Amino acid sequence: MGDSPLNLLIFLGSVREHRMATRVGRYMQNLLEKRGHTVTLVDPREHNLGEVQQPLHFYADPTAAPAILHKINKQILEADGFVIVSPEYNSGMAPALASIMDNFSPQSYAYRPAAIVTYSMGQFGGIRAAMQLRQFLSELNLVHMPSMIVISKVHEALSEEGERKVADGQLQRASDAMCKQFEWYANALRKARKAEPGPVLGHWAQ
Ligand SMILES: Cc1cc2nc3c(=O)[nH]c(=O)nc-3n(C[C@H](O)[C@H](O)[C@H](O)COP(=O)(O)O)c2cc1C
């Protein structure tokens, strides 16, 4: 079941100058493309959300919403799964990540898997952000993976091009384990959605 190519979105969670997010995003993109999947980055730095006044599903007339919201919503609806890349800021998940993902209905994300990838320059690798992400992703009706990738000392672990600096270490093992599990869930849920679309979610229905 793990062999079918998947259509995946990677959300990045930092807009900071000299951010580490770029290398973690590249790392995940390379890893998943090498496994045969189609990968698109949703980078909060590339999208000007200044004109966004409220989430897409809060607009009484959705046609009045900025085009960028419709574009990303379509990418979300077409995705088989999501990779959530977040640094740890003040013991929590990245504000830039919430500020982009919050713009879309839980119904848009529903019944798809989400892989959590956190990092920090310290030794804990953003584990506190990862724990918060579990709550956040549940609220969006995503199925988050039991396995995670938690990257300590990210500036030492990955090059700017997103290459692992240690070929055969713990990061490689964690990445392989998480990718296998993520592929299994993404394929299983895709089959299930095809057989029977998931129920529409009450008050979030569009
Ligand atoms: C506002 C801010 C708060 C931070 N808080 C934490 C923290 O609570 N725990 C931690 O391990 N690192 C923390 N860091 C360090 C970041 O994990 C590290 O700078 C990381 O590279 C940030 O991701 P970015 O470079 O993609 O923005 C913080 C950094 C910033 C800018």
Side-chain angles (χ1 to χ4, degrees):
M1 183 160 68
D3 290 335
S4 321
L6 299 164
N7 182 27
L8 302 173
L9 279 195
I10 299 180
F11 281 94
L12 295 189
S14 173
V15 292
R16 216 172 55 80
E17 200 181 3
H18 309 305
R19 65 186 183 171
M20 292 290 128
T22 307
R23 56 181 88 186
V24 185
R26 284 183 181 146
Y27 173 62
M28 289 310 302
Q29 182 159 15
N30 292 340
L31 198 67
L32 291 162
E33 284 179 350
K34 274 188 202 144
R35 297 174 78 93
H37 308 305
T38 301
V39 181
T40 306
L41 276 183
V42 181
D43 184 346
R45 198 146 86 174
E46 279 176 19
H47 299 304
N48 176 12
L49 297 182
E51 57 178 339
V52 172
Q53 292 176 339
Q54 55 185 336
L56 178 58
H57 49 302
F58 283 25
Y59 279 83
D61 172 12
T63 62
I68 185 64
L69 290 188
H70 288 288
K71 180 183 167 189
I72 300 173
N73 193 51
K74 184 167 183 287
Q75 290 176 321
I76 292 170
L77 289 168
E78 289 171 357
D80 296 311
F82 308 93
V83 177
I84 314 299
V85 172
S86 178
E88 183 169 295
Y89 278 5
N90 296 321
S91 300
M93 60 178 282
L97 182 71
S99 99
I100 197 158
M101 291 188 77
D102 279 347
N103 284 303
F104 308 98
S105 166
Q107 185 70 48
S108 293
Y109 295 102
Y111 311 115
R112 260 77 57 74
I116 297 173
V117 181
T118 62
Y119 60 93
S120 79
M121 290 200 197
Q123 61 180 319
F124 299 122
I127 190 68
R128 290 169 295 193
M131 292 303 104
Q132 220 180 43
L133 275 166
R134 289 205 184 282
Q135 252 181 309
F136 174 74
L137 297 171
S138 292
E139 202 56 30
L140 293 180
N141 284 300
L142 285 161
V143 179
H144 44 87
M145 297 299 93
S147 300
M148 299 184 298
I149 301 178
V150 174
I151 309 175
S152 318
K153 300 189 176 162
V154 62
H155 52 300
E156 293 174 10
L158 297 175
S159 70
E160 281 187 26
E161 293 69 41
E163 297 295 330
R164 263 191 316 258
K165 290 190 189 168
V166 177
D168 231 1
Q170 190 272 337
L171 178 55
Q172 173 163 4
R173 290 194 293 279
S175 303
D176 287 347
M178 202 280 285
C179 286
K180 279 185 198 155
Q181 192 174 57
F182 182 49
E183 286 163 343
W184 188 92
Y185 273 96
N187 277 296
L189 289 170
R190 181 164 61 181
K191 265 192 192 167
R193 288 192 310 276
K194 216 170 161 187
E196 183 180 330
V200 172
L201 301 162
H203 62 294
W204 289 118
Q206 280 180 318

